[in-house]
Amino acid sequence: MSFPFIFRAGALALACASTASASYVILDDFSGPNFFENFYFNTTLDPTHGFVEYIGAGNPLLNSLAYYDPTTDTAIMRVDDNKTYTPGVDTGRPSIRAQTINTYQYGLFILDLAHMPGNACGSWPAFWTTSMDHWPEQGEIDIIENVNLAAQSEQTLHTGPVFPGDVCEVVGNVNTNPGQETGTQISYNCMWNATTSDYGTQTQYSGQGCSAANNNPNNFGTNFNAVQGGVYAMEWNDEIIQIWSWENGYAPADIANGTPDPLSWGNPIFTTWGGNCDIARHFIDQTVVFDTTFCGDWGNAAWATSGCYSEQYPTCSDYVGANPGVYSETYWAVRSLKVYQFSNAAASSSTTA
């Protein structure tokens, strides 16, 4: 594997490839009272068409929805759980979409959470990376994501064709790769509008991407919070993307020690290994994102079968607008987000603006 480039605040760091003394070294550590100095609040309309209003600087709600909590040493990102909102009149329930100022090309991303949004009808929380300028051609990596009352997170890639006939598919545990993932592969074609795949099941819905369900204990929502959170890790280089998770207290010791070694972690939940996808071509200039939207394309589509539908609330937006109190647990509490780059002590390195 090679790990050629990491973008950081406009600078390009080149780590030369070699096998001697190769390891991950810290690039960015987002934690503590300065957490939000490394993020900006995106206030554009939700691209998934959710019943949500992303707020930012100048909004009087900002300081109550995004702040550092010194009692828990965590960065908090909440949604409004006080007011009702009317579909067709209001934009939606206020929420936070925080994005890193830095843009990355490859790295190891390790998120230590004390709390993620708990399960709630209409809620769609996500921790992910994407290209802000060229979606889907430059890719999206969904590390934590699901909707409504789902008990498991899903890990998903979305790509777009770089040229006509381009493909990006994963194999999961099928064919010659049994047991390489601990997750359950749901769909195999990562192209954003694909409905068929050469691997696994032959049909999927347009917009699904290639997705795996996380089978690890207490990995999402209310169950995750009941064990005081946990750790997610995503490794991305020019040959592979893979994702792991651990509930609180079970992450490998090398993560806490600041010397993460993915080769020692065992099989990931999700991996692109063995598939048919040029990672270097399909995943470029990724920004890290935390958000919680409501309803949206996925949440609306799943509303009828979510266990949330009722005659009183025939649409997801009706429910979200009328029930602020159910979202008191809809918040992220981040202990740290650390980004590592691959380095080699035996090789020289250079930086180019």
Side-chain angles (χ1 to χ4, degrees):
M1 299 179 188
S2 58
F3 303 73
F5 302 112
I6 290 282
F7 283 100
R8 184 181 179 188
L12 179 66
L14 175 61
C16 300
S18 174
T19 57
S21 303
S23 63
Y24 277 109
V25 295
I26 192 72
L27 178 68
D28 284 324
D29 182 350
F30 304 141
S31 59
N34 299 324
F35 179 90
F36 288 109
E37 293 181 4
N38 303 291
F39 287 81
Y40 73 97
F41 301 111
N42 189 328
T43 60
T44 58
L45 291 176
D46 181 26
T48 72
H49 313 105
F51 186 61
V52 66
E53 179 187 3
Y54 291 125
I55 65 169
N59 191 300
L61 284 176
L62 181 61
N63 289 339
S64 63
L65 299 190
Y67 55 92
Y68 170 71
D69 182 356
T71 62
T72 59
D73 191 23
T74 59
I76 306 295
M77 289 167 278
R78 310 188 68 94
V79 305
D80 177 65
D81 61 351
N82 292 310
K83 292 181 61 179
T84 60
Y85 297 89
T86 304
V89 177
D90 298 308
T91 303
R93 185 165 294 284
S95 181
I96 296 295
R97 175 170 169 162
Q99 302 179 185
T100 54
I101 296 170
N102 295 343
T103 299
Y104 300 93
Q105 187 66 33
Y106 309 135
L108 178 63
F109 301 75
I110 301 180
L111 175 66
D112 188 348
L113 285 173
H115 189 283
M116 70 168 68
N119 299 110
C121 291
S123 175
W124 179 356
F127 170 65
W128 50 300
T129 75
T130 191
S131 168
M132 290 292 106
D133 299 321
H134 300 285
W135 187 96
E137 292 82 7
Q138 293 187 356
E140 174 181 328
I141 306 170
D142 298 322
I143 303 166
I144 304 173
E145 184 181 35
N146 216 321
V147 296
N148 297 320
L149 303 177
Q152 299 171 297
S153 71
E154 292 188 8
Q155 288 65 52
T156 305
L157 305 183
H158 297 279
T159 62
V162 180
F163 58 83
D166 203 1
V167 297
C168 178
E169 296 179 301
V170 300
V171 300
N173 288 327
V174 302
N175 297 341
T176 59
N177 298 277
Q180 73 167 355
E181 290 183 349
T182 64
T184 300
Q185 199 68 38
I186 301 169
S187 55
Y188 296 78
N189 195 329
C190 309
M191 289 295 176
W192 75 274
N193 60 350
T195 56
T196 63
S197 173
D198 293 329
Y199 304 106
T201 56
Q202 297 302 302
T203 61
Q204 59 188 73
Y205 61 82
S206 178
Q208 186 173 11
C210 53
S211 183
N214 190 343
N215 295 324
N216 291 345
N218 305 314
N219 66 74
F220 188 73
T222 302
N223 290 340
F224 180 87
N225 299 332
V227 295
Q228 288 75 54
V231 174
Y232 271 79
M234 185 272 286
E235 183 180 33
W236 164 40
N237 59 61
D238 62 353
E239 293 184 354
I240 196 169
I241 294 171
Q242 44 195 0
I243 300 170
W244 294 260
S245 78
W246 304 271
E247 63 179 293
N248 189 49
Y250 289 88
D254 56 39
I255 290 179
N257 294 338
T259 57
D261 178 13
L263 291 176
S264 69
W265 294 349
N267 290 348
I269 307 158
F270 172 93
T271 181
T272 60
W273 191 255
N276 180 20
C277 186
D278 187 333
I279 301 298
R281 188 167 69 232
H282 286 289
F283 296 90
I284 300 171
D285 294 355
Q286 300 285 291
T287 296
V288 182
V289 184
F290 292 90
D291 72 52
T292 304
T293 188
F294 297 97
C295 305
D297 298 332
W298 189 7
N300 286 330
W303 186 249
T305 58
S306 65
C308 300
Y309 171 88
S310 69
E311 291 185 4
Q312 183 179 5
Y313 303 113
T315 73
C316 180
S317 298
D318 290 331
Y319 181 91
V320 170
N323 293 280
V326 303
Y327 302 114
S328 61
E329 290 295 311
T330 305
Y331 67 92
W332 301 92
V334 183
R335 294 186 182 107
S336 67
L337 169 62
K338 296 181 180 180
V339 183
Y340 293 82
Q341 66 178 349
F342 203 69
S343 180
N344 191 291
S348 62
S349 64
S350 62
T351 60
T352 304

